Short mmCIF file of all heavy atoms in Angstrom, two decimals:
data_model
loop_
_atom_site.label_atom_id
_atom_site.label_comp_id
_atom_site.label_asym_id
_atom_site.label_seq_id
_atom_site.Cartn_x
_atom_site.Cartn_y
_atom_site.Cartn_z
N THR P 177 7.20 11.56 5.93
CA THR P 177 7.32 11.44 7.38
C THR P 177 8.63 12.08 7.85
O THR P 177 9.65 12.00 7.16
CB THR P 177 7.30 9.97 7.84
OG1 THR P 177 8.43 9.28 7.30
CG2 THR P 177 6.02 9.29 7.39
N TYR P 178 8.57 12.69 9.01
CA TYR P 178 9.74 13.35 9.60
C TYR P 178 9.79 13.00 11.08
O TYR P 178 8.74 12.82 11.71
CB TYR P 178 9.66 14.86 9.40
CG TYR P 178 9.72 15.26 7.94
CD1 TYR P 178 8.56 15.32 7.17
CD2 TYR P 178 10.93 15.56 7.32
CE1 TYR P 178 8.60 15.67 5.83
CE2 TYR P 178 10.99 15.91 5.98
CZ TYR P 178 9.83 15.96 5.25
OH TYR P 178 9.87 16.29 3.91
N PRO P 179 10.99 12.92 11.65
CA PRO P 179 11.10 12.51 13.05
C PRO P 179 10.74 13.62 14.02
O PRO P 179 10.88 14.81 13.71
CB PRO P 179 12.59 12.14 13.18
CG PRO P 179 13.27 13.05 12.19
CD PRO P 179 12.31 13.15 11.03
N SER P 180 10.30 13.23 15.19
CA SER P 180 10.13 14.19 16.28
C SER P 180 11.50 14.75 16.65
O SER P 180 12.53 14.10 16.44
CB SER P 180 9.48 13.53 17.49
OG SER P 180 8.19 13.05 17.17
N PHE P 182 13.12 15.02 19.26
CA PHE P 182 13.91 14.27 20.25
C PHE P 182 14.49 12.97 19.69
O PHE P 182 15.33 12.33 20.32
CB PHE P 182 13.05 13.94 21.47
CG PHE P 182 11.83 13.11 21.13
CD1 PHE P 182 11.91 11.74 20.95
CD2 PHE P 182 10.59 13.72 20.99
CE1 PHE P 182 10.79 10.99 20.63
CE2 PHE P 182 9.46 12.97 20.67
CZ PHE P 182 9.57 11.61 20.49
N LEU P 183 14.04 12.54 18.51
CA LEU P 183 14.36 11.21 18.01
C LEU P 183 15.72 11.18 17.32
O LEU P 183 15.99 11.95 16.41
CB LEU P 183 13.28 10.74 17.03
CG LEU P 183 13.34 9.27 16.63
CD1 LEU P 183 12.97 8.38 17.82
CD2 LEU P 183 12.40 9.00 15.45
N GLN P 184 16.58 10.26 17.73
CA GLN P 184 17.86 10.06 17.08
C GLN P 184 17.69 9.14 15.88
O GLN P 184 16.75 8.34 15.82
CB GLN P 184 18.87 9.46 18.06
CG GLN P 184 19.16 10.34 19.26
CD GLN P 184 20.22 9.74 20.16
OE1 GLN P 184 21.05 8.95 19.74
NE2 GLN P 184 20.20 10.14 21.43
N THR P 185 18.60 9.26 14.93
CA THR P 185 18.47 8.51 13.69
C THR P 185 18.44 7.00 13.94
O THR P 185 17.62 6.28 13.35
CB THR P 185 19.62 8.85 12.73
OG1 THR P 185 19.58 10.25 12.44
CG2 THR P 185 19.50 8.07 11.43
N ARG P 186 19.32 6.51 14.80
CA ARG P 186 19.35 5.06 15.04
C ARG P 186 18.06 4.58 15.69
O ARG P 186 17.58 3.47 15.40
CB ARG P 186 20.56 4.69 15.89
CG ARG P 186 20.60 5.28 17.29
CD ARG P 186 21.78 4.75 18.09
NE ARG P 186 21.87 5.32 19.42
CZ ARG P 186 22.50 6.43 19.72
NH1 ARG P 186 23.13 7.11 18.75
NH2 ARG P 186 22.54 6.86 20.97
N SER P 187 17.48 5.41 16.56
CA SER P 187 16.20 5.04 17.17
C SER P 187 15.08 5.06 16.13
O SER P 187 14.18 4.21 16.15
CB SER P 187 15.87 6.00 18.32
OG SER P 187 16.86 5.96 19.32
N GLY P 188 15.14 6.02 15.22
CA GLY P 188 14.16 6.09 14.15
C GLY P 188 14.26 4.89 13.23
O GLY P 188 13.23 4.34 12.77
N PHE P 189 15.48 4.47 12.95
CA PHE P 189 15.67 3.28 12.11
C PHE P 189 15.08 2.05 12.79
O PHE P 189 14.40 1.24 12.15
CB PHE P 189 17.15 3.07 11.82
CG PHE P 189 17.43 1.94 10.88
CD1 PHE P 189 17.37 2.14 9.50
CD2 PHE P 189 17.73 0.67 11.35
CE1 PHE P 189 17.62 1.09 8.63
CE2 PHE P 189 17.98 -0.37 10.49
CZ PHE P 189 17.93 -0.17 9.12
N ALA P 190 15.31 1.92 14.08
CA ALA P 190 14.74 0.80 14.82
C ALA P 190 13.21 0.87 14.82
O ALA P 190 12.53 -0.15 14.69
CB ALA P 190 15.26 0.81 16.26
N ASP P 191 12.68 2.08 14.94
CA ASP P 191 11.23 2.29 14.91
C ASP P 191 10.63 1.80 13.60
O ASP P 191 9.64 1.06 13.57
CB ASP P 191 10.94 3.78 15.13
CG ASP P 191 9.46 4.12 15.01
OD1 ASP P 191 8.94 4.13 13.88
OD2 ASP P 191 8.84 4.40 16.05
N GLN P 192 11.23 2.23 12.49
CA GLN P 192 10.72 1.84 11.18
C GLN P 192 10.87 0.35 10.92
O GLN P 192 10.00 -0.28 10.34
CB GLN P 192 11.44 2.64 10.10
CG GLN P 192 11.11 4.12 10.10
CD GLN P 192 9.64 4.37 9.85
OE1 GLN P 192 9.10 4.05 8.81
NE2 GLN P 192 8.97 4.95 10.85
N THR P 193 11.99 -0.20 11.37
CA THR P 193 12.22 -1.63 11.19
C THR P 193 11.21 -2.44 11.98
O THR P 193 10.60 -3.39 11.47
CB THR P 193 13.65 -2.00 11.64
OG1 THR P 193 14.59 -1.26 10.85
CG2 THR P 193 13.91 -3.49 11.46
N PHE P 194 10.99 -2.06 13.24
CA PHE P 194 10.07 -2.80 14.09
C PHE P 194 8.63 -2.68 13.59
O PHE P 194 7.89 -3.67 13.55
CB PHE P 194 10.17 -2.28 15.52
CG PHE P 194 9.33 -3.04 16.50
CD1 PHE P 194 9.66 -4.33 16.86
CD2 PHE P 194 8.20 -2.46 17.07
CE1 PHE P 194 8.88 -5.05 17.77
CE2 PHE P 194 7.42 -3.16 17.99
CZ PHE P 194 7.77 -4.46 18.33
N GLY P 195 8.22 -1.47 13.21
CA GLY P 195 6.85 -1.29 12.73
C GLY P 195 6.56 -2.10 11.49
O GLY P 195 5.50 -2.74 11.37
N THR P 196 7.50 -2.12 10.54
CA THR P 196 7.28 -2.88 9.31
C THR P 196 7.39 -4.38 9.56
O THR P 196 6.74 -5.18 8.89
CB THR P 196 8.27 -2.45 8.22
OG1 THR P 196 8.40 -1.03 8.22
CG2 THR P 196 7.79 -2.90 6.85
N PHE P 234 2.56 3.05 17.38
CA PHE P 234 3.95 3.40 17.08
C PHE P 234 4.07 4.57 16.10
O PHE P 234 5.04 4.67 15.36
CB PHE P 234 4.70 2.18 16.52
CG PHE P 234 4.81 1.05 17.51
CD1 PHE P 234 3.99 -0.06 17.39
CD2 PHE P 234 5.70 1.11 18.56
CE1 PHE P 234 4.06 -1.10 18.31
CE2 PHE P 234 5.79 0.08 19.48
CZ PHE P 234 4.97 -1.04 19.36
N TYR P 236 3.98 7.85 17.04
CA TYR P 236 4.41 9.09 17.70
C TYR P 236 5.82 9.51 17.31
O TYR P 236 6.09 10.69 17.09
CB TYR P 236 4.30 8.93 19.21
CG TYR P 236 4.77 10.13 20.00
CD1 TYR P 236 4.15 11.37 19.85
CD2 TYR P 236 5.83 10.03 20.90
CE1 TYR P 236 4.58 12.47 20.57
CE2 TYR P 236 6.26 11.13 21.63
CZ TYR P 236 5.63 12.35 21.46
OH TYR P 236 6.06 13.44 22.17
N ASN P 237 6.74 8.58 17.22
CA ASN P 237 8.14 8.92 16.98
C ASN P 237 8.37 9.62 15.65
O ASN P 237 8.99 10.68 15.59
CB ASN P 237 9.01 7.66 17.03
CG ASN P 237 9.34 7.24 18.44
OD1 ASN P 237 9.29 8.04 19.37
ND2 ASN P 237 9.67 5.97 18.62
N CYS P 238 7.87 9.00 14.59
CA CYS P 238 8.18 9.54 13.26
C CYS P 238 7.13 9.22 12.21
O CYS P 238 7.42 9.21 11.01
CB CYS P 238 9.56 9.04 12.79
SG CYS P 238 9.80 7.26 12.98
N GLY P 239 5.91 8.94 12.63
CA GLY P 239 4.83 8.86 11.65
C GLY P 239 4.60 7.54 10.96
O GLY P 239 3.88 7.50 9.96
N PHE P 240 5.17 6.46 11.42
CA PHE P 240 4.93 5.09 10.91
C PHE P 240 4.81 4.99 9.39
O PHE P 240 3.80 4.61 8.84
CB PHE P 240 3.72 4.45 11.62
CG PHE P 240 2.33 4.84 11.19
CD1 PHE P 240 1.55 3.96 10.45
CD2 PHE P 240 1.79 6.06 11.53
CE1 PHE P 240 0.27 4.30 10.05
CE2 PHE P 240 0.51 6.41 11.15
CZ PHE P 240 -0.26 5.52 10.40
N ALA P 241 5.89 5.26 8.68
CA ALA P 241 5.86 5.12 7.22
C ALA P 241 5.54 3.68 6.83
O ALA P 241 4.62 3.42 6.06
CB ALA P 241 7.19 5.55 6.62
N ILE P 242 6.32 2.71 7.34
CA ILE P 242 6.18 1.27 7.08
C ILE P 242 5.93 0.93 5.61
O ILE P 242 5.41 -0.14 5.31
CB ILE P 242 5.12 0.61 7.99
CG1 ILE P 242 3.73 1.17 7.74
CG2 ILE P 242 5.51 0.77 9.46
CD1 ILE P 242 2.62 0.42 8.49
N ASP P 267 16.85 17.12 9.06
CA ASP P 267 16.91 16.10 10.11
C ASP P 267 18.00 15.07 9.86
O ASP P 267 17.78 13.86 9.95
CB ASP P 267 15.55 15.40 10.26
CG ASP P 267 14.45 16.35 10.68
OD1 ASP P 267 14.69 17.21 11.55
OD2 ASP P 267 13.34 16.27 10.11
N TRP P 270 17.28 12.48 6.97
CA TRP P 270 16.35 11.47 7.47
C TRP P 270 15.75 10.60 6.37
O TRP P 270 15.34 9.46 6.63
CB TRP P 270 15.22 12.16 8.25
CG TRP P 270 14.07 11.27 8.60
CD1 TRP P 270 12.89 11.14 7.94
CD2 TRP P 270 14.01 10.36 9.70
NE1 TRP P 270 12.08 10.22 8.54
CE2 TRP P 270 12.75 9.72 9.63
CE3 TRP P 270 14.89 10.03 10.73
CZ2 TRP P 270 12.36 8.77 10.57
CZ3 TRP P 270 14.49 9.07 11.66
CH2 TRP P 270 13.25 8.46 11.57
N TRP P 272 16.39 8.54 4.13
CA TRP P 272 16.73 7.14 3.87
C TRP P 272 16.20 6.19 4.93
O TRP P 272 16.03 4.99 4.68
CB TRP P 272 18.25 6.96 3.75
CG TRP P 272 18.99 7.19 5.04
CD1 TRP P 272 19.50 8.35 5.52
CD2 TRP P 272 19.29 6.19 6.03
NE1 TRP P 272 20.09 8.16 6.75
CE2 TRP P 272 19.99 6.84 7.09
CE3 TRP P 272 19.04 4.82 6.14
CZ2 TRP P 272 20.43 6.16 8.22
CZ3 TRP P 272 19.48 4.14 7.27
CH2 TRP P 272 20.18 4.81 8.30
N VAL P 273 15.90 6.72 6.12
CA VAL P 273 15.52 5.86 7.24
C VAL P 273 14.22 5.10 6.98
O VAL P 273 14.18 3.86 7.12
CB VAL P 273 15.44 6.67 8.55
CG1 VAL P 273 14.91 5.80 9.69
CG2 VAL P 273 16.80 7.26 8.89
N PRO P 274 13.13 5.77 6.59
CA PRO P 274 11.90 5.01 6.33
C PRO P 274 11.98 4.10 5.12
O PRO P 274 11.25 3.11 5.04
CB PRO P 274 10.83 6.10 6.13
CG PRO P 274 11.55 7.38 5.97
CD PRO P 274 12.91 7.22 6.51
N VAL P 275 12.88 4.40 4.19
CA VAL P 275 13.02 3.55 3.01
C VAL P 275 13.78 2.27 3.36
O VAL P 275 13.29 1.16 3.14
CB VAL P 275 13.75 4.31 1.88
CG1 VAL P 275 13.98 3.38 0.69
CG2 VAL P 275 12.94 5.53 1.46
N VAL P 276 14.96 2.42 3.92
CA VAL P 276 15.79 1.26 4.25
C VAL P 276 15.19 0.48 5.42
O VAL P 276 15.11 -0.76 5.40
CB VAL P 276 17.23 1.68 4.55
CG1 VAL P 276 18.08 0.47 4.92
CG2 VAL P 276 17.84 2.41 3.37
N GLY P 277 14.76 1.21 6.45
CA GLY P 277 14.19 0.55 7.62
C GLY P 277 12.97 -0.30 7.28
O GLY P 277 12.80 -1.39 7.82
N SER P 278 12.14 0.20 6.38
CA SER P 278 10.93 -0.54 6.00
C SER P 278 11.29 -1.84 5.28
O SER P 278 10.67 -2.89 5.52
CB SER P 278 10.03 0.32 5.12
OG SER P 278 9.53 1.42 5.83
N GLY P 281 12.75 -4.26 7.89
CA GLY P 281 11.70 -4.75 8.77
C GLY P 281 10.77 -5.73 8.08
O GLY P 281 10.33 -6.72 8.70
#
Side-chain angles (χ1 to χ4, degrees):
T177 63
Y178 296 87
S180 298
F182 59 80
L183 191 69
Q184 299 183 25
T185 300
R186 63 175 179 271
S187 300
F189 184 84
D191 175 286
Q192 291 299 297
T193 300
F194 184 70
T196 317
F234 297 103
Y236 178 60
N237 280 338
C238 48
F240 78 107
I242 63 173
D267 298 318
W270 169 262
W272 67 270
V273 175
V275 176
V276 179
S278 295

